[in-house]
Short mmCIF file of all heavy atoms in Angstrom, two decimals:
data_model
loop_
_atom_site.label_atom_id
_atom_site.label_comp_id
_atom_site.label_asym_id
_atom_site.label_seq_id
_atom_site.Cartn_x
_atom_site.Cartn_y
_atom_site.Cartn_z
N MET I 13 64.03 87.20 125.20
CA MET I 13 64.67 86.23 124.33
C MET I 13 63.68 85.15 123.96
O MET I 13 63.02 84.59 124.81
CB MET I 13 65.83 85.62 125.02
CG MET I 13 67.13 86.31 124.80
SD MET I 13 68.39 85.53 125.82
CE MET I 13 69.42 84.89 124.54
N ALA I 14 63.68 84.80 122.71
CA ALA I 14 62.79 83.72 122.26
C ALA I 14 63.50 82.39 122.31
O ALA I 14 64.70 82.31 122.03
CB ALA I 14 62.32 84.04 120.86
N ASN I 15 62.77 81.40 122.70
CA ASN I 15 63.37 80.03 122.72
C ASN I 15 63.52 79.55 121.32
O ASN I 15 62.67 79.73 120.46
CB ASN I 15 62.44 79.09 123.49
CG ASN I 15 62.48 79.37 124.94
OD1 ASN I 15 63.42 79.96 125.49
ND2 ASN I 15 61.43 79.00 125.68
N PRO I 16 64.67 78.88 121.03
CA PRO I 16 64.84 78.33 119.66
C PRO I 16 63.83 77.20 119.45
O PRO I 16 63.50 76.50 120.39
CB PRO I 16 66.28 77.83 119.65
CG PRO I 16 66.59 77.66 121.05
CD PRO I 16 65.80 78.63 121.88
N PRO I 17 63.38 77.07 118.25
CA PRO I 17 62.39 76.00 117.97
C PRO I 17 63.08 74.62 118.19
O PRO I 17 64.17 74.38 117.83
CB PRO I 17 62.01 76.18 116.52
CG PRO I 17 63.10 77.01 115.90
CD PRO I 17 63.71 77.79 117.04
N SER I 18 62.31 73.78 118.87
CA SER I 18 62.83 72.43 119.12
C SER I 18 62.63 71.58 117.93
O SER I 18 61.68 71.76 117.11
CB SER I 18 62.07 71.83 120.34
OG SER I 18 60.76 71.69 120.06
N PRO I 19 63.55 70.67 117.71
CA PRO I 19 63.41 69.78 116.50
C PRO I 19 62.18 68.90 116.70
O PRO I 19 61.78 68.59 117.79
CB PRO I 19 64.71 68.95 116.54
CG PRO I 19 65.18 69.01 117.92
CD PRO I 19 64.69 70.33 118.47
N PRO I 20 61.59 68.49 115.60
CA PRO I 20 60.37 67.66 115.65
C PRO I 20 60.75 66.31 116.27
O PRO I 20 61.83 65.74 116.05
CB PRO I 20 59.96 67.52 114.23
CG PRO I 20 61.13 67.82 113.42
CD PRO I 20 61.97 68.78 114.21
N LEU I 21 59.86 65.83 117.08
CA LEU I 21 60.04 64.54 117.75
C LEU I 21 59.55 63.42 116.79
O LEU I 21 58.43 63.51 116.32
CB LEU I 21 59.28 64.46 119.06
CG LEU I 21 59.87 65.23 120.20
CD1 LEU I 21 58.91 65.15 121.43
CD2 LEU I 21 61.21 64.67 120.59
N TYR I 22 60.41 62.47 116.58
CA TYR I 22 60.01 61.33 115.78
C TYR I 22 59.96 60.10 116.76
O TYR I 22 60.96 59.74 117.35
CB TYR I 22 61.01 61.06 114.66
CG TYR I 22 61.02 62.19 113.66
CD1 TYR I 22 62.10 63.06 113.64
CD2 TYR I 22 60.02 62.36 112.74
CE1 TYR I 22 62.16 64.08 112.72
CE2 TYR I 22 60.05 63.35 111.86
CZ TYR I 22 61.15 64.26 111.80
OH TYR I 22 61.15 65.25 110.94
N ARG I 23 58.84 59.56 116.88
CA ARG I 23 58.67 58.38 117.76
C ARG I 23 59.00 57.10 116.99
O ARG I 23 58.46 56.90 115.87
CB ARG I 23 57.29 58.33 118.32
CG ARG I 23 56.88 59.55 119.06
CD ARG I 23 56.99 59.35 120.54
NE ARG I 23 56.58 60.52 121.23
CZ ARG I 23 57.23 61.05 122.25
NH1 ARG I 23 58.33 60.44 122.65
NH2 ARG I 23 56.76 62.11 122.86
N ASN I 24 59.84 56.26 117.55
CA ASN I 24 60.19 55.02 116.96
C ASN I 24 59.26 53.95 117.52
O ASN I 24 59.29 53.64 118.67
CB ASN I 24 61.64 54.64 117.25
CG ASN I 24 62.05 53.39 116.58
OD1 ASN I 24 61.27 52.71 115.87
ND2 ASN I 24 63.28 52.98 116.81
N PRO I 25 58.40 53.39 116.66
CA PRO I 25 57.47 52.32 117.18
C PRO I 25 58.21 51.05 117.62
O PRO I 25 57.66 50.29 118.40
CB PRO I 25 56.52 52.06 116.00
CG PRO I 25 57.27 52.45 114.81
CD PRO I 25 58.20 53.61 115.24
N TRP I 26 59.43 50.93 117.17
CA TRP I 26 60.20 49.70 117.54
C TRP I 26 61.24 49.95 118.60
O TRP I 26 62.17 49.17 118.84
CB TRP I 26 60.91 49.11 116.29
CG TRP I 26 59.93 48.70 115.27
CD1 TRP I 26 59.49 49.39 114.16
CD2 TRP I 26 59.23 47.44 115.25
NE1 TRP I 26 58.59 48.63 113.49
CE2 TRP I 26 58.43 47.46 114.12
CE3 TRP I 26 59.21 46.32 116.08
CZ2 TRP I 26 57.58 46.38 113.79
CZ3 TRP I 26 58.42 45.27 115.75
CH2 TRP I 26 57.63 45.33 114.65
N ALA I 27 61.12 51.09 119.33
CA ALA I 27 62.12 51.47 120.31
C ALA I 27 62.26 50.43 121.43
O ALA I 27 63.35 50.07 121.83
CB ALA I 27 61.79 52.81 120.96
N LYS I 28 61.15 49.88 121.88
CA LYS I 28 61.23 48.85 122.94
C LYS I 28 61.85 47.59 122.41
O LYS I 28 62.61 46.92 123.09
CB LYS I 28 59.87 48.55 123.51
CG LYS I 28 59.35 49.68 124.41
CD LYS I 28 58.02 49.30 125.02
CE LYS I 28 57.52 50.41 125.90
NZ LYS I 28 56.21 50.06 126.48
N ALA I 29 61.58 47.21 121.18
CA ALA I 29 62.10 45.99 120.60
C ALA I 29 63.60 46.14 120.34
O ALA I 29 64.36 45.16 120.39
CB ALA I 29 61.40 45.67 119.31
N ASP I 30 64.11 47.33 120.08
CA ASP I 30 65.51 47.55 119.83
C ASP I 30 66.29 48.02 121.02
O ASP I 30 67.48 48.28 120.96
CB ASP I 30 65.68 48.59 118.70
CG ASP I 30 65.25 48.12 117.38
OD1 ASP I 30 65.23 46.91 117.17
OD2 ASP I 30 64.92 48.96 116.50
N ALA I 31 65.65 48.12 122.18
CA ALA I 31 66.34 48.55 123.40
C ALA I 31 67.50 47.64 123.82
O ALA I 31 68.48 48.12 124.37
CB ALA I 31 65.34 48.72 124.54
N TRP I 32 67.36 46.36 123.53
CA TRP I 32 68.44 45.42 123.96
C TRP I 32 69.76 45.75 123.23
O TRP I 32 70.81 45.38 123.78
CB TRP I 32 68.01 44.00 123.65
CG TRP I 32 67.83 43.71 122.23
CD1 TRP I 32 66.71 43.87 121.45
CD2 TRP I 32 68.79 43.20 121.28
NE1 TRP I 32 66.92 43.52 120.17
CE2 TRP I 32 68.21 43.09 120.03
CE3 TRP I 32 70.13 42.88 121.43
CZ2 TRP I 32 68.89 42.64 118.89
CZ3 TRP I 32 70.82 42.43 120.31
CH2 TRP I 32 70.22 42.28 119.06
N ARG I 33 69.70 46.35 122.10
CA ARG I 33 70.94 46.65 121.34
C ARG I 33 71.81 47.69 122.05
O ARG I 33 73.03 47.71 121.83
CB ARG I 33 70.58 47.15 119.93
CG ARG I 33 69.90 46.15 119.10
CD ARG I 33 69.49 46.81 117.76
NE ARG I 33 68.57 46.02 117.05
CZ ARG I 33 68.89 45.22 116.05
NH1 ARG I 33 70.13 45.18 115.60
NH2 ARG I 33 67.99 44.49 115.44
N LYS I 34 71.22 48.53 122.89
CA LYS I 34 71.97 49.56 123.60
C LYS I 34 72.41 49.12 124.99
O LYS I 34 73.01 49.88 125.70
CB LYS I 34 71.12 50.81 123.69
CG LYS I 34 70.94 51.43 122.29
CD LYS I 34 70.10 52.76 122.42
CE LYS I 34 69.94 53.40 121.06
NZ LYS I 34 69.15 52.67 120.14
N HIS I 35 72.08 47.89 125.37
CA HIS I 35 72.44 47.38 126.70
C HIS I 35 73.98 47.20 126.74
O HIS I 35 74.60 46.80 125.77
CB HIS I 35 71.72 46.06 126.93
CG HIS I 35 71.76 45.62 128.38
ND1 HIS I 35 72.86 44.95 128.89
CD2 HIS I 35 70.93 45.79 129.38
CE1 HIS I 35 72.62 44.72 130.16
NE2 HIS I 35 71.46 45.22 130.48
N PRO I 36 74.61 47.47 127.91
CA PRO I 36 76.05 47.41 127.99
C PRO I 36 76.60 46.05 127.71
O PRO I 36 77.76 45.91 127.32
CB PRO I 36 76.35 47.80 129.42
CG PRO I 36 75.13 48.48 129.93
CD PRO I 36 73.98 48.05 129.09
N VAL I 37 75.84 45.01 127.88
CA VAL I 37 76.37 43.64 127.65
C VAL I 37 76.73 43.47 126.16
O VAL I 37 77.61 42.73 125.83
CB VAL I 37 75.28 42.63 128.08
CG1 VAL I 37 75.70 41.21 127.64
CG2 VAL I 37 75.10 42.69 129.59
N PHE I 38 76.01 44.16 125.30
CA PHE I 38 76.17 43.99 123.85
C PHE I 38 77.06 45.09 123.22
O PHE I 38 77.05 45.20 122.01
CB PHE I 38 74.83 43.93 123.16
CG PHE I 38 73.99 42.78 123.62
CD1 PHE I 38 72.92 43.01 124.47
CD2 PHE I 38 74.32 41.52 123.21
CE1 PHE I 38 72.15 41.93 124.90
CE2 PHE I 38 73.52 40.46 123.70
CZ PHE I 38 72.48 40.66 124.50
N GLN I 39 77.81 45.83 124.02
CA GLN I 39 78.70 46.83 123.44
C GLN I 39 79.91 46.14 122.94
O GLN I 39 80.26 45.01 123.31
CB GLN I 39 79.05 47.87 124.47
CG GLN I 39 77.83 48.75 124.81
CD GLN I 39 78.26 49.79 125.87
OE1 GLN I 39 79.30 49.74 126.42
NE2 GLN I 39 77.32 50.72 126.07
N GLN I 40 80.61 46.83 122.06
CA GLN I 40 81.78 46.21 121.30
C GLN I 40 82.85 45.74 122.28
O GLN I 40 83.35 44.61 122.10
CB GLN I 40 82.30 47.26 120.36
CG GLN I 40 83.18 46.75 119.23
CD GLN I 40 82.33 46.10 118.17
OE1 GLN I 40 81.17 45.93 118.29
NE2 GLN I 40 82.99 45.76 117.09
N ARG I 41 83.26 46.54 123.16
CA ARG I 41 84.37 46.15 124.09
C ARG I 41 83.95 44.92 124.93
O ARG I 41 84.77 44.00 125.14
CB ARG I 41 84.72 47.30 125.04
CG ARG I 41 85.71 46.88 126.07
CD ARG I 41 85.97 48.00 127.05
NE ARG I 41 86.95 48.92 126.56
CZ ARG I 41 87.18 50.07 127.03
NH1 ARG I 41 86.54 50.51 128.12
NH2 ARG I 41 88.13 50.83 126.55
N SER I 42 82.74 44.95 125.41
CA SER I 42 82.27 43.83 126.19
C SER I 42 82.20 42.52 125.41
O SER I 42 82.53 41.46 125.90
CB SER I 42 80.92 44.15 126.83
OG SER I 42 80.43 43.09 127.58
N MET I 43 81.79 42.67 124.14
CA MET I 43 81.67 41.47 123.32
C MET I 43 83.00 40.84 123.07
O MET I 43 83.17 39.61 123.13
CB MET I 43 81.03 41.82 121.99
CG MET I 43 79.58 42.20 122.04
SD MET I 43 78.49 40.82 122.49
CE MET I 43 78.43 39.96 120.91
N PHE I 44 84.07 41.67 122.82
CA PHE I 44 85.40 41.08 122.56
C PHE I 44 86.00 40.51 123.78
O PHE I 44 86.72 39.49 123.72
CB PHE I 44 86.31 42.17 121.93
CG PHE I 44 86.04 42.47 120.50
CD1 PHE I 44 85.83 43.77 120.08
CD2 PHE I 44 85.94 41.40 119.60
CE1 PHE I 44 85.62 44.00 118.76
CE2 PHE I 44 85.72 41.65 118.24
CZ PHE I 44 85.51 42.95 117.87
N SER I 45 85.79 41.13 124.94
CA SER I 45 86.42 40.62 126.18
C SER I 45 85.77 39.33 126.61
O SER I 45 86.38 38.52 127.25
CB SER I 45 86.34 41.65 127.28
OG SER I 45 85.01 41.85 127.71
N LYS I 46 84.44 39.14 126.30
CA LYS I 46 83.82 37.91 126.73
C LYS I 46 83.77 36.88 125.61
O LYS I 46 83.22 35.78 125.82
CB LYS I 46 82.40 38.25 127.17
CG LYS I 46 82.39 39.01 128.49
CD LYS I 46 80.98 39.34 128.93
CE LYS I 46 80.97 40.00 130.25
NZ LYS I 46 81.78 41.15 130.41
N MET I 47 84.29 37.17 124.45
CA MET I 47 84.29 36.17 123.37
C MET I 47 85.16 34.97 123.69
O MET I 47 84.80 33.83 123.35
CB MET I 47 84.79 36.87 122.03
CG MET I 47 84.54 36.02 120.84
SD MET I 47 85.16 36.78 119.33
CE MET I 47 84.28 38.33 119.32
N PHE I 48 86.29 35.20 124.29
CA PHE I 48 87.26 34.14 124.59
C PHE I 48 87.57 34.16 126.10
O PHE I 48 88.62 34.74 126.49
CB PHE I 48 88.53 34.21 123.78
CG PHE I 48 88.31 34.16 122.28
CD1 PHE I 48 88.50 35.33 121.52
CD2 PHE I 48 87.91 33.03 121.71
CE1 PHE I 48 88.27 35.29 120.17
CE2 PHE I 48 87.71 32.96 120.35
CZ PHE I 48 87.86 34.11 119.56
N PRO I 49 86.70 33.61 126.94
CA PRO I 49 87.00 33.73 128.39
C PRO I 49 88.23 32.92 128.73
O PRO I 49 88.43 31.82 128.28
CB PRO I 49 85.73 33.12 129.01
CG PRO I 49 85.12 32.28 127.97
CD PRO I 49 85.48 32.88 126.67
N GLY I 50 89.14 33.53 129.53
CA GLY I 50 90.33 32.87 129.96
C GLY I 50 91.45 32.96 128.99
O GLY I 50 92.53 32.42 129.22
N PHE I 51 91.27 33.58 127.87
CA PHE I 51 92.31 33.70 126.83
C PHE I 51 93.52 34.50 127.35
O PHE I 51 94.65 34.13 127.07
CB PHE I 51 91.72 34.35 125.58
CG PHE I 51 92.75 34.45 124.46
CD1 PHE I 51 93.12 33.29 123.82
CD2 PHE I 51 93.26 35.69 124.06
CE1 PHE I 51 94.03 33.38 122.77
CE2 PHE I 51 94.18 35.74 123.02
CZ PHE I 51 94.56 34.58 122.37
N GLY I 52 93.29 35.56 128.04
CA GLY I 52 94.39 36.38 128.61
C GLY I 52 95.26 35.58 129.58
O GLY I 52 96.47 35.66 129.51
N ILE I 53 94.62 34.83 130.44
CA ILE I 53 95.34 34.02 131.41
C ILE I 53 96.12 32.96 130.68
O ILE I 53 97.26 32.65 131.04
CB ILE I 53 94.38 33.41 132.46
CG1 ILE I 53 93.71 34.52 133.28
CG2 ILE I 53 95.04 32.38 133.32
CD1 ILE I 53 92.64 34.06 134.16
N ALA I 54 95.50 32.38 129.66
CA ALA I 54 96.18 31.28 128.92
C ALA I 54 97.42 31.86 128.16
O ALA I 54 98.47 31.20 128.12
CB ALA I 54 95.22 30.70 127.90
N VAL I 55 97.33 33.07 127.62
CA VAL I 55 98.43 33.65 126.96
C VAL I 55 99.59 33.90 127.89
O VAL I 55 100.76 33.61 127.59
CB VAL I 55 98.05 34.98 126.19
CG1 VAL I 55 99.27 35.75 125.72
CG2 VAL I 55 97.12 34.65 125.03
N VAL I 56 99.28 34.44 129.06
CA VAL I 56 100.32 34.69 130.06
C VAL I 56 100.98 33.35 130.55
O VAL I 56 102.21 33.26 130.64
CB VAL I 56 99.78 35.48 131.26
CG1 VAL I 56 100.72 35.55 132.40
CG2 VAL I 56 99.34 36.87 130.84
N ALA I 57 100.16 32.38 130.78
CA ALA I 57 100.71 31.08 131.22
C ALA I 57 101.57 30.44 130.16
O ALA I 57 102.63 29.90 130.44
CB ALA I 57 99.52 30.14 131.61
N PHE I 58 101.10 30.45 128.89
CA PHE I 58 101.91 29.89 127.79
C PHE I 58 103.23 30.63 127.61
O PHE I 58 104.26 30.01 127.39
CB PHE I 58 101.09 29.83 126.51
CG PHE I 58 101.79 29.27 125.34
CD1 PHE I 58 102.00 27.87 125.32
CD2 PHE I 58 102.28 30.06 124.36
CE1 PHE I 58 102.69 27.33 124.25
CE2 PHE I 58 102.96 29.48 123.27
CZ PHE I 58 103.17 28.10 123.24
N THR I 59 103.17 31.95 127.64
CA THR I 59 104.39 32.78 127.50
C THR I 59 105.37 32.45 128.63
O THR I 59 106.57 32.29 128.37
CB THR I 59 104.03 34.25 127.50
OG1 THR I 59 103.07 34.48 126.50
CG2 THR I 59 105.22 35.13 127.26
N THR I 60 104.87 32.32 129.84
CA THR I 60 105.74 32.02 130.96
C THR I 60 106.35 30.65 130.73
O THR I 60 107.57 30.47 131.03
CB THR I 60 104.95 32.04 132.27
OG1 THR I 60 104.33 33.32 132.40
CG2 THR I 60 105.84 31.78 133.49
N TYR I 61 105.57 29.68 130.31
CA TYR I 61 106.09 28.33 130.07
C TYR I 61 107.18 28.33 129.00
O TYR I 61 108.20 27.73 129.23
CB TYR I 61 104.95 27.43 129.61
CG TYR I 61 105.41 26.11 129.13
CD1 TYR I 61 105.89 25.11 129.98
CD2 TYR I 61 105.39 25.84 127.76
CE1 TYR I 61 106.33 23.89 129.47
CE2 TYR I 61 105.85 24.62 127.25
CZ TYR I 61 106.29 23.67 128.12
OH TYR I 61 106.73 22.47 127.64
N VAL I 62 106.98 29.04 127.91
CA VAL I 62 107.95 29.07 126.82
C VAL I 62 109.24 29.73 127.25
O VAL I 62 110.31 29.23 127.01
CB VAL I 62 107.37 29.74 125.56
CG1 VAL I 62 108.43 30.03 124.55
CG2 VAL I 62 106.24 28.91 124.98
N VAL I 63 109.12 30.85 127.99
CA VAL I 63 110.33 31.54 128.44
C VAL I 63 111.07 30.68 129.46
O VAL I 63 112.30 30.56 129.37
CB VAL I 63 109.94 32.90 129.08
CG1 VAL I 63 111.07 33.49 129.82
CG2 VAL I 63 109.43 33.82 128.02
N ALA I 64 110.36 30.03 130.36
CA ALA I 64 111.02 29.19 131.38
C ALA I 64 111.71 28.01 130.72
O ALA I 64 112.79 27.64 131.06
CB ALA I 64 110.01 28.71 132.41
N GLU I 65 111.01 27.41 129.75
CA GLU I 65 111.60 26.24 129.04
C GLU I 65 112.87 26.65 128.31
O GLU I 65 113.86 25.92 128.32
CB GLU I 65 110.60 25.64 128.09
CG GLU I 65 111.12 24.39 127.43
CD GLU I 65 110.10 23.77 126.50
OE1 GLU I 65 109.09 24.43 126.17
OE2 GLU I 65 110.34 22.64 126.05
N ASN I 66 112.82 27.78 127.67
CA ASN I 66 114.02 28.23 126.90
C ASN I 66 115.15 28.64 127.77
O ASN I 66 116.31 28.47 127.42
CB ASN I 66 113.65 29.41 125.97
CG ASN I 66 112.85 28.93 124.78
OD1 ASN I 66 112.93 27.77 124.37
ND2 ASN I 66 112.01 29.81 124.27
N MET I 67 114.85 29.18 129.00
CA MET I 67 115.92 29.55 129.88
C MET I 67 116.49 28.36 130.63
O MET I 67 117.70 28.26 130.85
CB MET I 67 115.39 30.60 130.84
CG MET I 67 115.16 31.94 130.24
SD MET I 67 114.45 33.15 131.34
CE MET I 67 115.80 33.33 132.49
N LEU I 68 115.63 27.44 131.10
CA LEU I 68 116.09 26.38 131.97
C LEU I 68 116.65 25.16 131.20
O LEU I 68 117.57 24.49 131.60
CB LEU I 68 114.91 25.89 132.83
CG LEU I 68 114.41 26.92 133.86
CD1 LEU I 68 113.25 26.38 134.60
CD2 LEU I 68 115.52 27.30 134.84
N PHE I 69 116.02 24.88 130.04
CA PHE I 69 116.43 23.71 129.27
C PHE I 69 117.04 24.13 127.95
O PHE I 69 116.46 23.97 126.90
CB PHE I 69 115.22 22.81 129.03
CG PHE I 69 114.55 22.40 130.30
CD1 PHE I 69 113.28 22.86 130.59
CD2 PHE I 69 115.14 21.56 131.22
CE1 PHE I 69 112.62 22.49 131.72
CE2 PHE I 69 114.54 21.15 132.39
CZ PHE I 69 113.24 21.64 132.64
N LYS I 70 118.18 24.70 127.98
CA LYS I 70 118.88 25.09 126.77
C LYS I 70 119.27 23.88 125.97
O LYS I 70 119.73 22.87 126.52
CB LYS I 70 120.12 25.93 127.08
CG LYS I 70 119.81 27.20 127.85
CD LYS I 70 120.13 28.37 126.98
CE LYS I 70 119.90 29.62 127.83
NZ LYS I 70 119.48 30.71 127.05
N SER I 71 119.09 23.93 124.64
CA SER I 71 119.47 22.79 123.88
C SER I 71 121.03 22.75 123.76
O SER I 71 121.67 23.76 123.69
CB SER I 71 118.88 22.90 122.45
OG SER I 71 119.32 24.04 121.77
N GLU I 72 121.54 21.53 123.71
CA GLU I 72 123.01 21.35 123.78
C GLU I 72 123.55 21.01 122.38
O GLU I 72 124.57 20.34 122.31
CB GLU I 72 123.35 20.26 124.74
CG GLU I 72 122.88 20.56 126.20
CD GLU I 72 122.99 19.36 127.06
OE1 GLU I 72 123.37 18.27 126.61
OE2 GLU I 72 122.68 19.53 128.24
N GLY I 73 122.90 21.46 121.39
CA GLY I 73 123.46 21.14 120.09
C GLY I 73 122.38 20.44 119.21
O GLY I 73 121.22 20.51 119.52
N GLY I 74 122.86 19.78 118.18
CA GLY I 74 121.92 19.22 117.23
C GLY I 74 121.85 17.71 117.34
O GLY I 74 121.97 17.02 116.33
N HIS I 75 121.71 17.17 118.58
CA HIS I 75 121.52 15.74 118.65
C HIS I 75 120.04 15.38 118.44
O HIS I 75 119.16 16.16 118.74
CB HIS I 75 122.08 15.14 119.94
CG HIS I 75 121.40 15.68 121.15
ND1 HIS I 75 121.94 16.71 121.88
CD2 HIS I 75 120.27 15.34 121.79
CE1 HIS I 75 121.13 16.97 122.91
NE2 HIS I 75 120.10 16.12 122.85
N HIS I 76 119.80 14.19 117.98
CA HIS I 76 118.46 13.76 117.60
C HIS I 76 117.77 13.07 118.72
O HIS I 76 117.88 12.23 119.32
CB HIS I 76 118.49 12.88 116.37
CG HIS I 76 119.12 13.58 115.20
ND1 HIS I 76 118.46 14.50 114.45
CD2 HIS I 76 120.34 13.53 114.68
CE1 HIS I 76 119.23 14.95 113.55
NE2 HIS I 76 120.42 14.37 113.63
#
C-alpha cells in the first residue's frame, strides 16, 4: 500500500506572535464569564431581595 501524499506544509512566520490568540484565557466562553465578575451573584441576590420584599411587605392599597 502506498502512503497518501501529505498536504504541503505552510509555515506561518507570525505563528509565535499569534500564539496568544489561542490561549484559553482569550476564548469566547472565558471572555464572557470574566467580563462582569460577580454579576451572577448580584443577580441572585437582587432576585432574592425582590421576591422577599414582595412576599413580606405586601402593599396595602393605594396610599401615598
Side-chain angles (χ1 to χ4, degrees):
M13 269 175 114
N15 289 336
S18 61
L21 286 176
Y22 296 106
R23 302 260 182 224
N24 182 0
W26 296 97
K28 286 184 181 179
D30 289 337
W32 65 271
R33 296 175 193 259
K34 293 182 177 66
H35 194 275
V37 172
F38 298 106
Q39 289 180 352
Q40 199 76 351
R41 173 185 276 168
S42 179
M43 291 291 284
F44 284 128
S45 68
K46 290 180 176 52
M47 190 181 304
F48 301 110
F51 183 70
I53 294 171
V55 167
V56 170
F58 181 72
T59 303
T60 304
Y61 168 75
V62 169
V63 167
E65 184 179 13
N66 286 334
M67 289 176 64
L68 296 175
F69 305 112
K70 298 247 185 213
S71 62
E72 298 170 357
H75 61 263
H76 301 282

